[in-house]
């Protein structure tokens, strides 16, 4: 029966992506370890395993182009593995190119293609492998042979042999690794692989059980009739990843194919899974998002029930409130569990950074080492997705403009190799993600001068800024102090986008720098973006929500009594004068604010700003929902939530409110 492998494509793409990400990261670590004289054997073995796994998985999925390139990469690693030494820089370059090529092929496979590997890349990897083995580079004219089924010379081609030749019987027993997320799929791939060598006359469990995901004890036994020698069968199975054990033995020879007979030894009940073995299942992110959305609706419905209960006569209210309390506790517990499932380790984000820094440093003629700490800390997956680009930008910025060239560093009394540290730690309900370099640092005075020259603020205001506040000027759009803004990065060119991205998820960006000693960016992030504390305010007849993380405080004042600066009222707050904006006028609601009115002091795009509103309604926990069109295109709005009364309320994007 033909096996439909297309339904395993998602699993293949996911697993291949993980192997390639680890392959790239370990190459960078290996290069650094070799430079430092550290032991490398284990790392080189890891490279080989990842390349081997990708090759085996691709071959099983009949993606011969991917398997061919992975096999070449495996060949390139092999000489270094045998000698127990780290690959040289040139070989690392070639291997990283192969990783990129494999990633591109896997991406095309995810779209349903059967991509072929680039011939030039295949030949480049093969030439590097020959050089690593001390051989002359091969002269290649013929296309790269398919490697889905690497064979020894003289071995029969992969086409099934004629029935008349199926006179020998082989017993196969495999054990799938306990960490394999879908063991039945692996067992199914074993059956398919065996079918290419001959006729599979029996399996235990049956193929129907494997299709249904059943593989008791993670063990599969099969009887194969084949003319292939035992070594060939073992080699074929060695291409399949996640097999903890493979046993191939000659069975009794028969004069002709016979009806399958159950072997007593193989039919025995498999052993139970090892106690304490962790079992996992992969779930699509979209499914988790919809699950969280449903739980959010339950939270809102519970709040609605509680509000309606207040209209019930008091003598009938206790049993209703008791039921609502129990429902709320259950829904809250469910919400916490869903959030726990969505939590993802930061390593998914940080493991790519050493590779990115290494590539950029080589392009710039610099040397850099990236150290990652706290990558095991978990945050909401949705938050992780939003942070990928900002963090990469900060890293590129640090390498491009932060770190000096090796001669500059040596003249400054530093080591030739620059260091970038990415660290994360939990601080109550927030995560602090830091990216620090030991480069030349930022100059607050130059930032002040650049901001004044650009017209972003008056010279007197620039002079009043502390050095710490002056560093924040680097986040103004289009402001840069770099002598040369390259296409790689530009300090001041992209930091405004970084700041906006961080603030869009309820976080904050801090900058600390010392000339000659380096720069430190701190991203203060919530653990999740799905639920946030908000401050409700009323403006005219509208109720609006402000993210509480952006609010510094509030005051009750008469706007007409405030001093004026540049035509706008200013509120003395925390030792500074904060400009006050009429939130109703800003959003086009019209009407005058009462006197006195409430002024909320919050973070604006260029610093603290006061927002005049009619009334403060209080703080509450809000389940945030994304905006639908056309509201998602309105500047100043970031999300929507629903109050207990059922009233929808917009959550304001304070950083972009000025553009509304």
């Amino acid at each position: 029966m033909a096996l439909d492998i297309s339904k395993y494509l998602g699993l293949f793409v996911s697993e291949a992506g993980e192997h390639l990400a680890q392959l790239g990261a370990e190459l960078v670590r290996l290069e650094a370890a070799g430079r430092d004289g550290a032991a490398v054997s284990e790392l080189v073995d890891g490279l080989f395993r990842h390349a081997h796994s990708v090759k085996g998985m691709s071959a099983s999925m009949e993606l011969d182009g991917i398997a061919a390139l992975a096999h070449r990469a495996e060949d390139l690693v092999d000489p270094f593995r045998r000698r127990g030494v780290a690959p040289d820089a040139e070989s690392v370059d070639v291997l990283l190119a192969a990783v990129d090529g494999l990633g591109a092929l896997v991406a095309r496979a995810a779209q349903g293609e059967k991509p072929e590997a680039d011939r030039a890349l295949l030949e480049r990897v093969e030439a590097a492998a020959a050089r690593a083995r001390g051989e002359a580079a091969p002269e290649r004219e013929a296309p790269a042979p398919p490697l889905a089924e690497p064979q020894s010379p003289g071995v029969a081609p992969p086409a099934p042999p004629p029935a008349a030749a199926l006179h020998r019987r082989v017993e196969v027993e495999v054990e799938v690794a306990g960490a394999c997320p879908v063991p039945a799929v692996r067992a199914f791939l074993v059956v398919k692989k065996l079918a290419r060598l001959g006729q599979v006359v029996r399996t235990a469990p049956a193929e129907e059980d494997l299709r249904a995901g059943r593989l008791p004890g993670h063990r599969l036994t099969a009887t194969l009739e084949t003319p292939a020698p035992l070594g060939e069968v073992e080699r074929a199975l060695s291409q399949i990843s996640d097999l903890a054990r493979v046993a191939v033995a000659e069975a009794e020879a028969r004069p002709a194919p016979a009806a399958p007979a159950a072997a007593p030894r193989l039919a025995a009940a498999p052993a139970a899974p090892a106690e304490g073995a962790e079992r996992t299942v992969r779930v699509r992110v979209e499914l988790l998002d919809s699950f969280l959305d449903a739980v959010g609706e339950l939270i809102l419905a519970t709040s609605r029930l509680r509000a309606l209960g207040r209209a019930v006569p008091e003598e009938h209210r206790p049993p209703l409130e008791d039921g609502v309390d129990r429902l709320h506790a259950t829904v809250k517990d469910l919400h916490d569990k869903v959030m726990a499932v969505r939590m993802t380790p930061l390593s998914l984000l940080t493991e790519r950074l050493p590779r990115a820094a290494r590539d950029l440093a080589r392009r710039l003629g610099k040397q850099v080492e990236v150290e990652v700490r706290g990558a095991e800390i978990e945050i909401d997956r949705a938050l992780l997705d939003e942070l990928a680009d900002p963090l990469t930008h900060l890293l590129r910025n640090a390498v491009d403009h932060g770190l000096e060239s090796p001669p500059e560093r040596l003249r400054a009394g530093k080591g030739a190799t620059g260091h970038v540290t990415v660290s994360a730690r939990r601080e109550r309900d927030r995560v602090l993600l830091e990216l620090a370099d030991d480069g030349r640092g930022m100059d607050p005075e130059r930032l002040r001068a650049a901001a004044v020259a650009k017209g972003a603020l008056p010279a007197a205001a620039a002079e009043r800024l502390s050095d710490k506040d002056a560093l924040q000027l680097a986040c103004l759009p289009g402001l840069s102090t770099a002598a040369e803004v390259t296409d790689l990065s530009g300090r001041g060119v992209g930091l405004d986008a970084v700041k906006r991205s961080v603030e869009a998820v309820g976080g904050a960006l801090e900058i600390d720098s010392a000339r000659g000693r380096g720069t430190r960016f701190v991203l203060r992030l919530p653990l999740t973006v799905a639920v946030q504390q908000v401050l409700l305010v009323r403006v005219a007849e509208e109720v609006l929500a402000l993210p509480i993380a952006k609010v510094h405080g509030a005051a009750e004042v008469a706007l007409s009594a405030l001093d004026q600066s540049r035509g706008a009222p200013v509120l003395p707050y925390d030792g500074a004068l904060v400009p006050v904006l009429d939130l109703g006028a800003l959003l086009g609601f019209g009407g005058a604010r009462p006197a006195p009115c409430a002024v909320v002091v919050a973070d604006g795009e260029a610093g603290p700003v006061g927002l005049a509103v009619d009334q403060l309604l209080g703080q509450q926990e809000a389940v945030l929902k994304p905006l639908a069109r056309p509201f998602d295109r309105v500047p100043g709005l970031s999300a929507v939530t629903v109050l207990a009364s059922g009233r929808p309320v917009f959550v304001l994007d304070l950083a972009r409110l000025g553009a509304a």
Side-chain angles (χ1 to χ4, degrees):
M1 180 182 296
L3 172 64
D4 179 14
I5 59 176
S6 61
K7 58 185 176 182
Y8 304 121
L9 183 59
L11 177 66
F12 162 76
V13 171
S14 174
E15 292 195 8
E18 290 178 7
H19 281 294
L20 292 176
Q22 293 179 35
L23 183 54
E26 290 186 7
L27 273 168
V28 178
R29 283 200 293 272
L30 181 63
E31 191 175 42
R35 191 166 53 237
D36 297 339
V40 299
S41 296
E42 189 173 337
L43 285 171
V44 179
D45 287 345
L47 298 183
F48 191 86
R49 282 197 301 273
H50 291 308
H52 183 80
S53 295
V54 174
K55 182 186 75 173
M57 294 163 56
S58 308
S60 300
M61 293 293 295
E62 300 178 347
L63 296 167
D64 295 342
I66 302 177
L69 183 53
H71 185 66
R72 295 288 191 275
E74 189 183 60
D75 280 350
L76 176 51
V77 174
D78 190 54
F80 300 101
R81 183 178 66 130
R82 293 177 184 276
R83 297 198 296 269
V85 300
D88 55 80
E90 184 178 347
S91 297
V92 172
D93 284 341
V94 175
L95 283 169
L96 288 173
V99 172
D100 291 342
L102 286 167
L105 293 177
V106 170
R108 289 174 58 190
Q111 304 301 318
E113 298 181 36
K114 284 187 176 296
E116 291 299 325
D118 179 73
R119 176 185 293 274
L121 180 57
L122 281 171
E123 293 179 359
R124 183 185 174 195
V125 179
E126 189 170 3
R131 182 177 59 82
R133 291 192 297 265
E135 302 170 357
E139 296 181 2
R140 298 196 59 81
E141 292 295 336
L147 296 173
E149 299 275 3
Q151 307 290 339
S152 300
V155 172
L166 303 177
H167 291 172
R168 51 197 306 278
R169 179 166 289 200
V170 175
E171 301 289 359
V172 178
E173 182 173 348
V174 300
E175 181 177 346
V176 180
C180 179
V182 280
V185 174
R186 283 289 178 275
F188 215 161
L189 295 179
V190 169
V191 176
K192 178 174 173 52
K193 181 69 71 175
L194 293 176
R196 293 181 178 180
L197 298 173
Q199 181 177 356
V200 179
V201 297
R202 183 198 64 83
T203 67
E207 290 189 31
E208 290 73 17
D209 290 329
L210 298 179
R211 288 193 181 90
R214 294 188 289 269
L215 183 66
H218 285 214
R219 291 184 181 179
L220 169 77
T221 59
T223 302
L224 172 69
E225 288 187 344
T226 176
L230 296 184
E232 184 180 350
V233 177
E234 290 176 342
R235 280 193 298 275
L237 296 182
S238 69
Q239 299 174 21
I240 300 176
S241 60
D242 290 336
L243 296 186
R245 188 174 68 87
V246 175
V248 180
E250 193 89 40
E252 181 182 356
R254 300 190 175 194
R265 179 177 65 84
L266 300 177
E275 289 187 9
E278 187 175 354
R279 304 187 69 181
T280 59
V281 61
R282 292 171 186 265
V283 180
R284 287 183 293 113
V285 173
E286 295 80 7
L287 189 59
L288 285 179
D289 288 345
S290 64
F291 198 11
L292 181 65
D293 191 56
V295 175
E297 292 292 340
L298 281 174
I299 293 176
L300 294 174
T302 306
S303 300
R304 177 68 173 154
L305 281 176
R306 194 184 298 282
L308 292 174
R310 298 191 185 100
V312 174
E314 192 170 347
E315 62 271 21
H316 301 305
R317 201 177 297 169
L320 176 62
E321 291 179 341
D322 180 61
V324 172
D325 286 344
R326 293 177 61 183
L327 176 62
H328 177 74
T330 303
V331 171
K332 188 69 170 57
D333 182 59
L334 181 60
H335 174 264
D336 291 345
K337 286 184 168 60
V338 173
M339 289 309 303
V341 173
R342 281 168 54 105
M343 299 300 272
T344 307
L346 273 169
S347 57
L348 201 65
L349 184 65
T350 58
E351 63 188 9
R352 71 188 72 172
L353 299 181
R355 163 74 193 280
R358 183 259 184 198
D359 288 352
L360 183 58
R362 281 181 64 83
R363 187 173 168 186
L364 295 169
K366 297 182 179 180
Q367 298 175 13
V368 61
E369 284 187 357
V370 177
E371 181 182 2
V372 179
R373 305 171 187 162
E376 72 282 359
I377 290 178
E378 295 182 330
I379 61 175
D380 191 342
R381 174 61 187 253
L383 194 61
L384 210 62
D385 293 340
E386 297 297 326
L387 289 176
D389 288 342
L391 193 60
T392 302
H393 180 87
L394 291 178
L395 176 77
R396 295 170 67 85
N397 211 327
V399 176
D400 189 8
H401 292 294
L403 297 183
E404 310 93 333
S405 65
E408 287 179 288
R409 292 183 64 86
L410 293 173
R411 285 196 297 272
K414 302 178 181 179
T417 300
H419 292 82
V420 175
T421 303
V422 181
S423 60
R425 67 178 187 275
R426 284 281 297 271
E427 197 170 88
R428 291 186 295 181
D429 61 342
R430 301 187 82 78
V431 170
L432 268 61
L433 184 58
E434 295 185 4
L435 189 146
D437 66 69
D438 65 346
R440 56 175 62 93
M442 299 168 69
D443 186 347
E445 203 55 48
R446 292 185 62 191
L447 285 167
R448 289 188 185 94
V452 172
K454 186 177 173 59
L457 77 170
E463 287 301 319
R464 286 197 298 270
L465 290 176
S466 66
D467 284 354
K468 184 175 180 63
D469 290 338
L471 291 175
Q472 289 289 335
L473 295 174
C475 297
L476 290 177
L479 189 87
S480 176
T481 61
E484 180 182 359
V485 178
T486 68
D487 62 332
L488 304 173
S489 63
R491 181 154 287 173
V493 172
L495 284 181
D496 59 319
V498 172
K499 189 169 188 286
R500 276 201 304 274
S501 298
V502 172
E503 292 180 341
V505 297
L509 174 67
E510 299 174 4
I511 306 174
D512 186 18
S513 184
R515 294 186 63 185
R517 296 205 299 272
T519 302
R520 185 170 66 106
F521 294 93
V522 182
L523 282 62
R524 293 183 177 274
L525 304 165
L527 289 177
T528 174
V529 295
V531 178
Q532 285 189 16
Q533 291 288 329
V534 297
L535 173 66
L536 297 177
V537 300
R538 185 174 64 80
V539 181
E541 298 302 321
E542 299 295 330
V543 176
L544 300 164
L546 311 179
I548 204 72
K550 301 296 178 188
V551 175
H552 294 286
E556 187 175 80
V557 298
L559 295 182
S560 58
L562 294 177
D563 291 336
Q564 300 281 316
S565 175
R566 306 179 74 180
V570 290
L571 173 71
Y573 186 84
D574 199 20
L577 292 177
V578 176
V580 177
L581 305 175
D582 185 329
L583 185 57
L586 206 59
L587 298 176
F589 292 158
R593 306 282 75 76
C597 69
V599 175
V600 180
V601 180
D603 285 331
E605 184 171 15
V609 63
L611 299 173
V613 301
D614 292 354
Q615 187 182 5
L616 302 180
L617 301 178
Q619 177 179 339
Q620 78 169 46
E621 188 177 68
V623 179
L624 305 187
K625 294 178 175 296
L627 293 167
R629 290 190 176 183
F631 299 109
D632 60 339
R633 297 182 177 181
V634 178
L637 304 183
S638 65
V640 67
T641 187
V642 180
L643 302 182
S645 62
R647 178 175 184 166
V649 168
F650 288 115
V651 181
L652 299 184
D653 178 353
L654 296 177
R656 300 181 62 206
L657 197 57

